[in-house]
Amino acid sequence: MTSADFQSIALDGRPAVDERLLDGLNPRQREAVLYRGRSLLIVAGAGSGKTSVLTRRIASLLASGEASPLQILAITFTNKAANEMRERVQHLVGRGADSRSDTGMWISTFHSACVRILRRQAEQIGLKAGFTIYDSADSRALIKRIVKELDADTLNLTPGIVAGKISKQKNELIDVETYARNVNTDDPAEVAFLEIYRRYTAGLRRANALDFDDLIAETVHLFRAFPEVAALYQRRFRHVLVDEYQDTNHAQYALIRELTRPIKPQHVPEDTRMAVDASGGLPGASLTVVGDSDQSIYAFRGADIRNIVEFERDYPETKTVLLEQNYRSTQNILDAANAVISNNFDRLEKNLFTTVGSGHPIIGYTGYSGHDEAQFVADEISALHTAGTPYREIAVFYRTNSQTRPLEDVFIRSGLPYKIIGGTKFYERAEIKDAMAYLIQVANPADDLALRRILNTPKRGIGPATEAALQAHADKMGVPLRDALGDAGQLDLGPKVTRAILDLAELLDEAEAMHVAGGKAADILLALLAGSGLLDALRATRDPQDEARVENVEELVSVTKEHAKNNPDAGLLEFLTEVALVAATDEIEDESGTISLMTLHTAKGLEYDAVFLTGVEEDLLPHRMSSGEPGGLAEERRLFYVGITRAKKRLFLSLSMTRSSFGDTSVAMPSRYLQEIPPGLIDWRQSPGDATSRGGTRPRALNARGYAGGAARGFSYSTEALPPAPPRVKREWASEITGKVRDNGDLTLEAGDRIRHTDFGDGKVVAVTGQGTKSIAEVQFETAGKKRLLIKIAPIEKL
DNA sequence: CCGTGTTCTCTTTTT
DNA sequence: GAGAACACGG
């Protein structure tokens, strides 16, 4: 591109772009595709077609010749989003957009992009290219060792707290030395934390390893310490685009900042064909960020909502485009979403609208137990499926992973095909981590953590005492543990143990030779499995679970083979990198005919015809843990908002009167956020009021529309779609939310007992099911018919 | 050193 | 209610 081209585009801001690229876009979206300038902020409400805008923007840059694929860097939140974007761009421009090869554009996550940069530039920051990426469990293990060494958990420094604190420092780009300079030496806890942080950092260094947060932070440090390295990437990436910008943390923000800095004249090569400015330097790359502060749900991970709210301040010449038209959901769903989110103050005013019409009402249901709630979900899914909704278009969301259990129980019993996205992942299974540890140790012999994991797996008689002896020897020689294995003969250990250690050393050496010679992950893994006897040991036991473990390890072998097939050039390192960075959503297969179960967090960015949002209860949504933190309740509300806006046609909100956690069950109350939805939008199959005081099966017509509650709370929403409010009717369950739930204590009933209910009068207990607080009595009333009542909280007395 | 049985923590969300 | 950490006996 010549200087003249650049100028003309910058001035009139309207490049000549093939009309077909703009097909079907509304004026705002067109503007977002076509604007040319230093920086662009696209505030994209949920479902406003931002992926479409982003892909067309990239395609238009390529099609008009303003950019070559090489000059594009697009950052997404997940690998799945990256793949999808790459495919769509490819489809639009009709040519290769392969980010894997260095000739293509980079469309990847923050973490993948940084690993690519760091593997190339590893020496500069004192690492070897084969560095290990520690996942949270690995970091936790290392921290745990250190905490134990220092006996630090005595003063509230548990591994979990320390891990969170270290992560926080790194996300704020505060390294150990910076932290040390500002530490309050009078506070023993802070001093202890500093020492842990120091040893943790040293431990990672020694192991030639980086944790998740390091991937970003170290790249920023690299760019700041070596301007000529930064210039390499600044010259290359002339167009930087960031998706889900609201969830970037400070380190990620700094990374973008470094990448888009103007390039100083001394870093501009003589022969550049790019447009230099008056001083001989190059202007910074153009930056496009897309985000929605209403969907910021990762503050706990350091995401800084200010990054988007204050974007215009940080990049003063920024153009802002607001996308409010929603192409995903029905008006009913959007009304609910708008009403909920409008309770958050301090936000960019935004109101989603659609032209598709109001659609179905939102369906609500209150179960007696988590199991009962799950049964409702399963029944409705069966009905939807019968009516023609494919399973893959149905999703069930929940706040915490522990809520999956009753859902799984019922789904299995109902024969519904489902897949849990995230949760206990394949790669977190012990046997997989064992096999992976062999591979990691081969790729990175300095990784003591990986070696310790496999030292005695499978059992070869190397216990804690032997490990300590090896470690002592390694420390004395100042070498990694791995190098100590070869010296086992000098350590005065038993002949059997010595033999075992030397065998292991030999096996690892052989595998390392394969790796150095460019061997494939699959071949190396097979050699390691055969040589170590890991599979044989699992096959030999009588533990029935080991059968599944064998299958899992075999599955891992297929994964390595599959990886080699898809990436012919990839070796062991590429395989390990990919595994380390897989995200929950990457597991979703679009073709599969299964229902997707996932947390609200992993639901972000996805959409389904029918969405079930379960566990809409106090202490769950908002989660109990969130109420203590500043902004916690607002973030939980955004989480609820994200969940609602995933639904295209049907939305189901459900909760339960009781919830079991920790083994025993407790009474749950409806979420405060339910009150924020205009009551007329929800058709309660069984409202919280029905479930507590009326025993269920209340005629639906009474619940359907027109309760006056809610409006009093002062939120604004379009009333046009609703019928006029009838004269004030008793608010069905408002008081139940803030007021106390009735509690019958240890009242126990059994079949044959006679009871009196405040609404239904006298009746006889037919049967009692469930345990403890969950027990339900089936009662035949003299006048009201048969009802199911939750014994602990129903308004009843024993006669 | 290994297996078994017991107690104790733990659940927020994740790249 | 599960998984990890610890204690104890072989």
Side-chain angles (χ1 to χ4, degrees), chain A residues 198-221:
Chain A
R198 197 166 254 147
R199 291 192 190 193
Y200 175 71
T201 307
L204 285 174
R205 278 271 122 183
R206 221 179 312 116
N208 188 33
L210 296 175
D211 65 21
F212 276 137
D213 301 316
D214 283 333
L215 296 178
I216 316 289
E218 287 299 320
T219 308
V220 174
H221 288 148

Side-chain angles (χ1 to χ4, degrees), chain A residues 332 358-359 361 679-683 700-707 721-723 726:
Chain A
N332 275 344
S358 55
L681 294 176
I682 305 181
D683 181 353
R700 228 200 296 164
L702 282 179
N703 299 324
R705 296 224 146 193
Y707 286 95
L722 302 176

Side-chain angles (χ1 to χ4, degrees), chain A residues 12-162:
Chain A
D12 70 27
R14 284 290 178 273
V17 166
D18 193 327
E19 256 311 299
R20 276 172 299 177
L21 272 182
L22 305 174
D23 209 24
L25 297 186
N26 69 36
R28 295 280 190 75
Q29 291 175 319
R30 278 173 178 251
E31 192 176 15
V33 170
L34 294 176
Y35 177 78
R36 295 295 184 268
R38 178 70 206 290
S39 52
L40 170 65
L41 164 63
I42 304 173
V43 177
S48 60
K50 68 170 180 164
T51 308
S52 209
V53 166
L54 261 184
T55 52
R56 287 172 200 236
R57 184 169 169 81
I58 295 171
S60 77
L61 287 168
L62 296 176
S64 66
E66 292 161 83
S68 85
L70 278 165
Q71 295 177 314
I72 304 269
L73 171 65
I75 303 284
T76 59
F77 205 67
T78 64
N79 295 306
K80 182 177 191 281
N83 292 335
E84 190 185 323
M85 187 174 295
R86 189 176 307 121
E87 269 161 37
R88 285 173 71 166
V89 171
Q90 217 156 3
H91 181 78
L92 285 169
V93 300
R95 64 176 137 127
D98 182 9
S99 89
R100 285 184 224 277
S101 82
D102 275 358
T103 56
M105 55 182 146
W106 281 30
I107 301 183
S108 70
T109 63
F110 270 107
H111 295 267
S112 306
C114 287
V115 172
R116 272 180 96 172
I117 293 169
L118 290 175
R119 289 239 192 259
R120 272 188 217 183
Q121 247 62 60
E123 269 78 20
Q124 254 129 338
I125 54 167
L127 288 170
K128 296 202 210 73
F131 62 79
T132 305
I133 301 164
Y134 276 11
D135 66 19
S136 351
D138 298 330
S139 310
R140 194 68 71 91
L142 180 53
I143 290 170
K144 206 165 176 181
R145 279 174 64 87
I146 297 168
V147 167
K148 213 168 184 178
E149 261 170 44
L150 294 170
D151 212 22
D153 52 357
T154 45
L155 267 171
N156 214 12
L157 286 172
T158 65
I161 290 169
V162 170

Side-chain angles (χ1 to χ4, degrees), chain A residues 391-406:
Chain A
Y391 286 132
R392 97 181 93 81
E393 277 298 332
I394 301 173
V396 183
F397 301 154
Y398 36 82
R399 177 67 234 270
T400 67
N401 283 305
S402 62
Q403 287 168 251
T404 51
R405 191 182 306 196

Side-chain angles (χ1 to χ4, degrees), chain A residues 758-796:
Chain A
T758 52
D759 289 340
F760 302 139
D762 294 356
K764 195 169 124 190
V765 176
V766 182
V768 175
T769 54
Q771 303 268 309
T773 49
K774 267 199 301 193
S775 35
I776 291 166
E778 201 171 319
V779 183
Q780 181 69 47
F781 286 102
E782 284 158 11
T783 51
K786 199 184 274 183
K787 306 285 182 196
R788 300 176 74 224
L789 305 172
L790 201 61
I791 295 171
K792 190 168 172 62
I793 53 181
I796 51 174

